[in-house]
Amino acid sequence: MAIGAVVSHRNFGSFIGSGRVYYGEAARDHQRSDRLSVASVQCVNRNMFCSKLYNPRTSFSFCPSRDQPNKEVSGSNSTSHFKIDPPLLMSHQMSKNFKSIITRRKIRGVYQCCLSSAYPGASWIQARKLDKLGFIDGSKHTTVMRTRADFKSQDYDITGTEPETFVSSEGAGEAVLLEGVETAKPWWKQFPKRWVMVLLCFAAFLLCNMDRVNMSIAILPMSKEFNWNSATVGLIQSSFFWGYLLTQIVGGIWADKIGGKLVLGFGVVWWSVATILTPIAARIGLPFLLVMRAFMGIGEGVAMPAMNNLLSKWIPVSERSRSLALVYSGMYLGSVTGLAFSPILIHKFGWPSVFYSFGSLGSIWFALWLSKAHSSPEEDPNLSLEEKKLILGGSLSKEPVSRIPWKKILSKAPVWALIISHFCHNWGTFILLTWMPTYYNQVLKFNLTESGLLCVLPWFTMAVFANIGGWIADTLVSKGLSITSVRKIMQSIGFLGPAFFLTQLSKVKTPALAVLCMACSQGSDAFSQSGLYSNHQDIGPRYAGVLLGLSNTAGVLAGVFGTAATGYILQKGSWDDVFKVAVVLYIIGTLVWNLFSTGEKILD
């Protein structure tokens, strides 16, 4: 018969509890065997599991090391002998390929074990390699352990079906009797919980921008129906930011103190209801529409601080850029989805259908959020120990915040670099978000459907390049480049890229080239997700929600002033003037960011 084992190279503990374990020379007194039996051992995380022995009760001794002679672990009345011996001896040329599995590190070592039932005087036995069983000689993950096993069996059976546990002489290993092999979990149960959180946040941001940009399409038929001029349209577009501005800092404080799950869930429900009520408010009157858009801004205002708080607790530093890039790409894909489907819905069902359909999707997300989401890894009862150890070992922000050190936060130059850069960045971004369909319609002479569909391309480009930038940033950090350098490089691309392509819009002669410039501008803008948008968790992970609330407040002010100012500029000037203002702010942001920002933690 053959012996099969999966053995830990760190702990050769008690092979089985029924028997004696001999060390060193004490094992030599038992080198004889009448019959062989079958046993298999699996070691998982330094625990060894032995399957039930074959019919005859076998007793054995086991020698885990040479430096512990004459130690003995007593068990029942039978013995078998295992000895680690430099020369490989075999009387019966039988061998098995054993695998050691260390589940936490996912490293598989390959071991070669050989069975011997030699009589005490055996002097020569030829070894056999395990080539056909996949033994790879010379691999850096391969360890060869040569053993000799001698068994003495007696003619009575092992009874009982319940596993027994035995502790090794070193106290670190554990062996239990098992039957069969552990069933593998399905892939959806093995999917990391931290990335479930990332995907749920991604979906929330997808809905966030779907509900936001639908107005930029619906405003065209609405302005015709209600006879709104450009100034009124700009006022309606900017009213969203009134509420959005109010809840940035409040949302960050709330998330840092009571947890991001409640705050983000509240936000999605609030803005979904406001979206559904928008057509009703518009028919009642302009003041009611302005209030409803502000209400919608209140709900969406808490989303980014709450998300930043959640990811600061769930995501290790090594995965920060790519996780944030994926979540923010949900915003861009939300713009893609909203701009693509809004014209179709308006054409078939009228402009109110956009608000009713998009707003109702929030209820589906909320049901999933309640069942799957948790504010921190400590609150998730189904989180595996391995993943929890990974998160808690690599993530920096764990303790709840009870007091916000405002004076210390506002005294730091990198915090002000974040605030100013966020303002400069969002001025150009929100102008493109809210006014792009109007630009396509008035300047490039596209109709409503064409305007909506062509607006998709720049946002789709942002979704793609945000994730590319995230992977590049994490790769640069893993290669040893400082976080400060990575953040500055990524944000410089996010500023100077849009500035360059916006200056080219006045020079292009065809609508296709204009759309291409818009797409390139937005694509390079997406590198900001690995720049300033990742920097809050770098400089103050415990206050990530508050820091994002502060900087995004400045970003919202840019949206309010920029969107309203664009309507005023268009009454007095041209689109070239609109883009020139954005370019100047991009350059200012580049200078401030490279002079004062840092990737090091400055707030404990």
Side-chain angles (χ1 to χ4, degrees), residues 1 54 56 69 85 101 103 148 225 256 278 301 310-311 362 412 422 464 466 491 509-511 517 596:
M1 304 295 292
Y54 175 66
D85 216 347
I101 304 170
T103 51
R148 184 179 66 206
E225 180 177 336
D256 286 344
T278 296
L310 285 166
L311 295 194
K412 302 294 185 180
H422 209 147
V464 173
Q491 191 54 50
K509 303 299 182 182
T510 63
C517 281
F596 300 107

PDB file of all heavy atoms in Angstrom, residues 1 54 56 69 85 101 103 148 225 256 278 301 310-311 362 412 422 464 466 491 509-511 517 596:
ATOM      1  N   MET A   1       0.858  -1.191   0.000  1.00  0.00           N
ATOM      2  CA  MET A   1       0.000   0.000   0.000  1.00  0.00           C
ATOM      3  C   MET A   1       0.893   1.241   0.000  1.00  0.00           C
ATOM      4  O   MET A   1       2.085   1.156   0.214  1.00  0.00           O
ATOM      5  CB  MET A   1      -0.903   0.007   1.240  1.00  0.00           C
ATOM      6  CG  MET A   1      -1.772  -1.233   1.394  1.00  0.00           C
ATOM      7  SD  MET A   1      -2.966  -1.347   0.068  1.00  0.00           S
ATOM      8  CE  MET A   1      -3.975   0.048   0.497  1.00  0.00           C
ATOM      9  N   TYR A  54      -6.497   2.594   7.075  1.00  0.00           N
ATOM     10  CA  TYR A  54      -7.040   1.392   6.479  1.00  0.00           C
ATOM     11  C   TYR A  54      -7.314   0.351   7.560  1.00  0.00           C
ATOM     12  O   TYR A  54      -6.807   0.421   8.666  1.00  0.00           O
ATOM     13  CB  TYR A  54      -6.024   0.877   5.454  1.00  0.00           C
ATOM     14  CG  TYR A  54      -6.382  -0.439   4.817  1.00  0.00           C
ATOM     15  CD1 TYR A  54      -7.487  -0.560   3.985  1.00  0.00           C
ATOM     16  CD2 TYR A  54      -5.589  -1.549   5.053  1.00  0.00           C
ATOM     17  CE1 TYR A  54      -7.789  -1.769   3.409  1.00  0.00           C
ATOM     18  CE2 TYR A  54      -5.890  -2.756   4.476  1.00  0.00           C
ATOM     19  CZ  TYR A  54      -6.994  -2.857   3.648  1.00  0.00           C
ATOM     20  OH  TYR A  54      -7.292  -4.051   3.075  1.00  0.00           O
ATOM     21  N   PRO A  56      -6.614  -2.517   9.164  1.00  0.00           N
ATOM     22  CA  PRO A  56      -5.880  -2.927  10.356  1.00  0.00           C
ATOM     23  C   PRO A  56      -5.460  -1.721  11.162  1.00  0.00           C
ATOM     24  O   PRO A  56      -5.139  -0.683  10.610  1.00  0.00           O
ATOM     25  CB  PRO A  56      -4.668  -3.661   9.784  1.00  0.00           C
ATOM     26  CG  PRO A  56      -4.507  -3.149   8.419  1.00  0.00           C
ATOM     27  CD  PRO A  56      -5.870  -2.775   7.939  1.00  0.00           C
ATOM     28  N   PRO A  69      16.269  14.327  20.074  1.00  0.00           N
ATOM     29  CA  PRO A  69      16.358  12.870  20.234  1.00  0.00           C
ATOM     30  C   PRO A  69      15.620  12.388  21.458  1.00  0.00           C
ATOM     31  O   PRO A  69      15.488  13.085  22.462  1.00  0.00           O
ATOM     32  CB  PRO A  69      17.869  12.642  20.367  1.00  0.00           C
ATOM     33  CG  PRO A  69      18.391  13.925  20.933  1.00  0.00           C
ATOM     34  CD  PRO A  69      17.537  15.011  20.385  1.00  0.00           C
ATOM     35  N   ASP A  85      15.318  11.303   7.206  1.00  0.00           N
ATOM     36  CA  ASP A  85      16.661  10.749   7.075  1.00  0.00           C
ATOM     37  C   ASP A  85      17.293  11.289   5.800  1.00  0.00           C
ATOM     38  O   ASP A  85      16.658  11.240   4.745  1.00  0.00           O
ATOM     39  CB  ASP A  85      16.552   9.231   6.991  1.00  0.00           C
ATOM     40  CG  ASP A  85      17.715   8.563   7.698  1.00  0.00           C
ATOM     41  OD1 ASP A  85      18.679   9.292   8.008  1.00  0.00           O
ATOM     42  OD2 ASP A  85      17.654   7.354   7.917  1.00  0.00           O
ATOM     43  N   ILE A 101      -0.327  22.946   1.476  1.00  0.00           N
ATOM     44  CA  ILE A 101      -1.117  24.120   1.111  1.00  0.00           C
ATOM     45  C   ILE A 101      -1.099  25.103   2.260  1.00  0.00           C
ATOM     46  O   ILE A 101      -1.525  24.777   3.359  1.00  0.00           O
ATOM     47  CB  ILE A 101      -2.563  23.728   0.791  1.00  0.00           C
ATOM     48  CG1 ILE A 101      -2.576  22.664  -0.304  1.00  0.00           C
ATOM     49  CG2 ILE A 101      -3.363  24.937   0.353  1.00  0.00           C
ATOM     50  CD1 ILE A 101      -3.914  22.061  -0.504  1.00  0.00           C
ATOM     51  N   THR A 103      -2.920  28.216   3.014  1.00  0.00           N
ATOM     52  CA  THR A 103      -4.043  28.917   2.375  1.00  0.00           C
ATOM     53  C   THR A 103      -3.915  30.410   2.418  1.00  0.00           C
ATOM     54  O   THR A 103      -4.372  31.094   1.524  1.00  0.00           O
ATOM     55  CB  THR A 103      -5.355  28.497   3.039  1.00  0.00           C
ATOM     56  OG1 THR A 103      -5.216  28.644   4.463  1.00  0.00           O
ATOM     57  CG2 THR A 103      -5.693  27.078   2.725  1.00  0.00           C
ATOM     58  N   ARG A 148      11.457   8.050   5.790  1.00  0.00           N
ATOM     59  CA  ARG A 148      11.319   6.596   5.802  1.00  0.00           C
ATOM     60  C   ARG A 148      10.210   6.266   6.770  1.00  0.00           C
ATOM     61  O   ARG A 148      10.189   6.768   7.894  1.00  0.00           O
ATOM     62  CB  ARG A 148      12.618   5.941   6.238  1.00  0.00           C
ATOM     63  CG  ARG A 148      12.538   4.412   6.168  1.00  0.00           C
ATOM     64  CD  ARG A 148      13.848   3.790   6.579  1.00  0.00           C
ATOM     65  NE  ARG A 148      14.148   4.035   7.965  1.00  0.00           N
ATOM     66  CZ  ARG A 148      15.379   4.068   8.463  1.00  0.00           C
ATOM     67  NH1 ARG A 148      16.417   3.909   7.651  1.00  0.00           N
ATOM     68  NH2 ARG A 148      15.596   4.291   9.736  1.00  0.00           N
ATOM     69  N   GLU A 225     -40.761  74.088 -24.016  1.00  0.00           N
ATOM     70  CA  GLU A 225     -42.128  74.006 -23.493  1.00  0.00           C
ATOM     71  C   GLU A 225     -42.444  75.148 -22.535  1.00  0.00           C
ATOM     72  O   GLU A 225     -43.558  75.696 -22.554  1.00  0.00           O
ATOM     73  CB  GLU A 225     -42.321  72.662 -22.786  1.00  0.00           C
ATOM     74  CG  GLU A 225     -43.724  72.458 -22.200  1.00  0.00           C
ATOM     75  CD  GLU A 225     -43.901  71.086 -21.579  1.00  0.00           C
ATOM     76  OE1 GLU A 225     -43.164  70.141 -21.960  1.00  0.00           O
ATOM     77  OE2 GLU A 225     -44.787  70.952 -20.710  1.00  0.00           O
ATOM     78  N   ASP A 256     -17.816  59.862   8.905  1.00  0.00           N
ATOM     79  CA  ASP A 256     -16.687  59.519   9.776  1.00  0.00           C
ATOM     80  C   ASP A 256     -17.144  59.122  11.174  1.00  0.00           C
ATOM     81  O   ASP A 256     -16.457  58.367  11.862  1.00  0.00           O
ATOM     82  CB  ASP A 256     -15.713  60.692   9.858  1.00  0.00           C
ATOM     83  CG  ASP A 256     -14.893  60.859   8.585  1.00  0.00           C
ATOM     84  OD1 ASP A 256     -14.853  59.904   7.785  1.00  0.00           O
ATOM     85  OD2 ASP A 256     -14.308  61.937   8.387  1.00  0.00           O
ATOM     86  N   THR A 278     -39.186  65.553  -9.889  1.00  0.00           N
ATOM     87  CA  THR A 278     -38.776  66.709 -10.695  1.00  0.00           C
ATOM     88  C   THR A 278     -39.811  67.122 -11.736  1.00  0.00           C
ATOM     89  O   THR A 278     -40.116  68.327 -11.865  1.00  0.00           O
ATOM     90  CB  THR A 278     -37.422  66.420 -11.362  1.00  0.00           C
ATOM     91  OG1 THR A 278     -36.428  66.258 -10.349  1.00  0.00           O
ATOM     92  CG2 THR A 278     -37.015  67.548 -12.288  1.00  0.00           C
ATOM     93  N   GLY A 301     -24.887  65.107  -2.478  1.00  0.00           N
ATOM     94  CA  GLY A 301     -23.763  65.737  -1.802  1.00  0.00           C
ATOM     95  C   GLY A 301     -23.073  64.845  -0.782  1.00  0.00           C
ATOM     96  O   GLY A 301     -21.871  64.996  -0.521  1.00  0.00           O
ATOM     97  N   LEU A 310     -15.904  54.867   3.413  1.00  0.00           N
ATOM     98  CA  LEU A 310     -16.022  53.415   3.298  1.00  0.00           C
ATOM     99  C   LEU A 310     -14.750  52.786   2.739  1.00  0.00           C
ATOM    100  O   LEU A 310     -14.230  51.800   3.274  1.00  0.00           O
ATOM    101  CB  LEU A 310     -17.214  53.062   2.405  1.00  0.00           C
ATOM    102  CG  LEU A 310     -18.598  53.225   3.014  1.00  0.00           C
ATOM    103  CD1 LEU A 310     -19.669  53.175   1.931  1.00  0.00           C
ATOM    104  CD2 LEU A 310     -18.858  52.142   4.055  1.00  0.00           C
ATOM    105  N   LEU A 311     -14.231  53.358   1.664  1.00  0.00           N
ATOM    106  CA  LEU A 311     -13.055  52.757   1.031  1.00  0.00           C
ATOM    107  C   LEU A 311     -11.806  52.939   1.883  1.00  0.00           C
ATOM    108  O   LEU A 311     -10.886  52.110   1.816  1.00  0.00           O
ATOM    109  CB  LEU A 311     -12.838  53.353  -0.362  1.00  0.00           C
ATOM    110  CG  LEU A 311     -13.929  53.067  -1.393  1.00  0.00           C
ATOM    111  CD1 LEU A 311     -13.441  53.399  -2.794  1.00  0.00           C
ATOM    112  CD2 LEU A 311     -14.405  51.624  -1.344  1.00  0.00           C
ATOM    113  N   GLY A 362     -33.101  53.492  -8.063  1.00  0.00           N
ATOM    114  CA  GLY A 362     -32.496  53.600  -6.746  1.00  0.00           C
ATOM    115  C   GLY A 362     -33.032  52.591  -5.750  1.00  0.00           C
ATOM    116  O   GLY A 362     -32.314  52.161  -4.837  1.00  0.00           O
ATOM    117  N   LYS A 412      -2.705  73.046   7.462  1.00  0.00           N
ATOM    118  CA  LYS A 412      -1.793  72.281   6.617  1.00  0.00           C
ATOM    119  C   LYS A 412      -1.851  72.749   5.169  1.00  0.00           C
ATOM    120  O   LYS A 412      -2.932  72.822   4.562  1.00  0.00           O
ATOM    121  CB  LYS A 412      -2.126  70.791   6.687  1.00  0.00           C
ATOM    122  CG  LYS A 412      -2.072  70.202   8.095  1.00  0.00           C
ATOM    123  CD  LYS A 412      -0.658  70.205   8.646  1.00  0.00           C
ATOM    124  CE  LYS A 412      -0.588  69.507   9.999  1.00  0.00           C
ATOM    125  NZ  LYS A 412       0.781  69.495  10.545  1.00  0.00           N
ATOM    126  N   HIS A 422      -8.976  71.197  -6.345  1.00  0.00           N
ATOM    127  CA  HIS A 422     -10.301  70.651  -6.591  1.00  0.00           C
ATOM    128  C   HIS A 422     -11.203  71.698  -7.236  1.00  0.00           C
ATOM    129  O   HIS A 422     -11.995  71.394  -8.137  1.00  0.00           O
ATOM    130  CB  HIS A 422     -10.912  70.156  -5.281  1.00  0.00           C
ATOM    131  CG  HIS A 422     -11.871  69.034  -5.457  1.00  0.00           C
ATOM    132  ND1 HIS A 422     -12.032  68.023  -4.533  1.00  0.00           N
ATOM    133  CD2 HIS A 422     -12.740  68.740  -6.446  1.00  0.00           C
ATOM    134  CE1 HIS A 422     -12.947  67.172  -4.946  1.00  0.00           C
ATOM    135  NE2 HIS A 422     -13.398  67.602  -6.111  1.00  0.00           N
ATOM    136  N   VAL A 464     -12.759  54.671 -19.168  1.00  0.00           N
ATOM    137  CA  VAL A 464     -11.655  53.786 -19.534  1.00  0.00           C
ATOM    138  C   VAL A 464     -10.336  54.294 -18.955  1.00  0.00           C
ATOM    139  O   VAL A 464      -9.588  53.550 -18.306  1.00  0.00           O
ATOM    140  CB  VAL A 464     -11.560  53.657 -21.069  1.00  0.00           C
ATOM    141  CG1 VAL A 464     -10.304  52.876 -21.465  1.00  0.00           C
ATOM    142  CG2 VAL A 464     -12.803  52.975 -21.622  1.00  0.00           C
ATOM    143  N   ALA A 466      -9.753  56.408 -16.531  1.00  0.00           N
ATOM    144  CA  ALA A 466      -9.686  56.452 -15.066  1.00  0.00           C
ATOM    145  C   ALA A 466      -9.128  55.141 -14.524  1.00  0.00           C
ATOM    146  O   ALA A 466      -8.270  55.134 -13.624  1.00  0.00           O
ATOM    147  CB  ALA A 466     -11.070  56.712 -14.480  1.00  0.00           C
ATOM    148  N   GLN A 491      -1.942  63.967 -11.390  1.00  0.00           N
ATOM    149  CA  GLN A 491      -2.765  65.167 -11.408  1.00  0.00           C
ATOM    150  C   GLN A 491      -2.285  66.180 -12.444  1.00  0.00           C
ATOM    151  O   GLN A 491      -3.094  66.918 -13.016  1.00  0.00           O
ATOM    152  CB  GLN A 491      -2.794  65.820 -10.024  1.00  0.00           C
ATOM    153  CG  GLN A 491      -3.832  66.921  -9.891  1.00  0.00           C
ATOM    154  CD  GLN A 491      -5.226  66.445 -10.270  1.00  0.00           C
ATOM    155  OE1 GLN A 491      -5.684  65.413  -9.800  1.00  0.00           O
ATOM    156  NE2 GLN A 491      -5.903  67.192 -11.130  1.00  0.00           N
ATOM    157  N   LYS A 509     -12.244  72.419 -37.473  1.00  0.00           N
ATOM    158  CA  LYS A 509     -13.216  72.873 -38.459  1.00  0.00           C
ATOM    159  C   LYS A 509     -14.399  71.926 -38.634  1.00  0.00           C
ATOM    160  O   LYS A 509     -15.396  72.298 -39.246  1.00  0.00           O
ATOM    161  CB  LYS A 509     -12.518  73.054 -39.821  1.00  0.00           C
ATOM    162  CG  LYS A 509     -11.336  74.015 -39.779  1.00  0.00           C
ATOM    163  CD  LYS A 509     -11.748  75.417 -39.361  1.00  0.00           C
ATOM    164  CE  LYS A 509     -10.564  76.384 -39.373  1.00  0.00           C
ATOM    165  NZ  LYS A 509     -10.932  77.738 -38.924  1.00  0.00           N
ATOM    166  N   THR A 510     -14.277  70.706 -38.133  1.00  0.00           N
ATOM    167  CA  THR A 510     -15.352  69.732 -38.342  1.00  0.00           C
ATOM    168  C   THR A 510     -15.917  69.277 -37.005  1.00  0.00           C
ATOM    169  O   THR A 510     -15.195  69.244 -35.992  1.00  0.00           O
ATOM    170  CB  THR A 510     -14.841  68.505 -39.119  1.00  0.00           C
ATOM    171  OG1 THR A 510     -13.850  67.845 -38.337  1.00  0.00           O
ATOM    172  CG2 THR A 510     -14.235  68.938 -40.454  1.00  0.00           C
ATOM    173  N   PRO A 511     -17.196  68.904 -36.975  1.00  0.00           N
ATOM    174  CA  PRO A 511     -17.781  68.389 -35.736  1.00  0.00           C
ATOM    175  C   PRO A 511     -17.075  67.142 -35.212  1.00  0.00           C
ATOM    176  O   PRO A 511     -16.945  66.962 -33.996  1.00  0.00           O
ATOM    177  CB  PRO A 511     -19.227  68.077 -36.138  1.00  0.00           C
ATOM    178  CG  PRO A 511     -19.510  68.966 -37.295  1.00  0.00           C
ATOM    179  CD  PRO A 511     -18.214  69.071 -38.032  1.00  0.00           C
ATOM    180  N   CYS A 517     -11.659  66.154 -29.726  1.00  0.00           N
ATOM    181  CA  CYS A 517     -10.978  67.004 -28.738  1.00  0.00           C
ATOM    182  C   CYS A 517     -11.654  66.901 -27.376  1.00  0.00           C
ATOM    183  O   CYS A 517     -10.986  66.857 -26.333  1.00  0.00           O
ATOM    184  CB  CYS A 517     -10.982  68.460 -29.218  1.00  0.00           C
ATOM    185  SG  CYS A 517      -9.733  68.831 -30.463  1.00  0.00           S
ATOM    186  N   PHE A 596       2.678  72.404  -3.510  1.00  0.00           N
ATOM    187  CA  PHE A 596       2.273  72.237  -2.112  1.00  0.00           C
ATOM    188  C   PHE A 596       1.694  70.864  -1.748  1.00  0.00           C
ATOM    189  O   PHE A 596       1.518  70.576  -0.567  1.00  0.00           O
ATOM    190  CB  PHE A 596       1.235  73.310  -1.743  1.00  0.00           C
ATOM    191  CG  PHE A 596       1.747  74.708  -1.890  1.00  0.00           C
ATOM    192  CD1 PHE A 596       1.322  75.516  -2.933  1.00  0.00           C
ATOM    193  CD2 PHE A 596       2.679  75.220  -1.000  1.00  0.00           C
ATOM    194  CE1 PHE A 596       1.797  76.810  -3.081  1.00  0.00           C
ATOM    195  CE2 PHE A 596       3.157  76.512  -1.127  1.00  0.00           C
ATOM    196  CZ  PHE A 596       2.720  77.313  -2.179  1.00  0.00           C
TER     197      PHE A 596
END
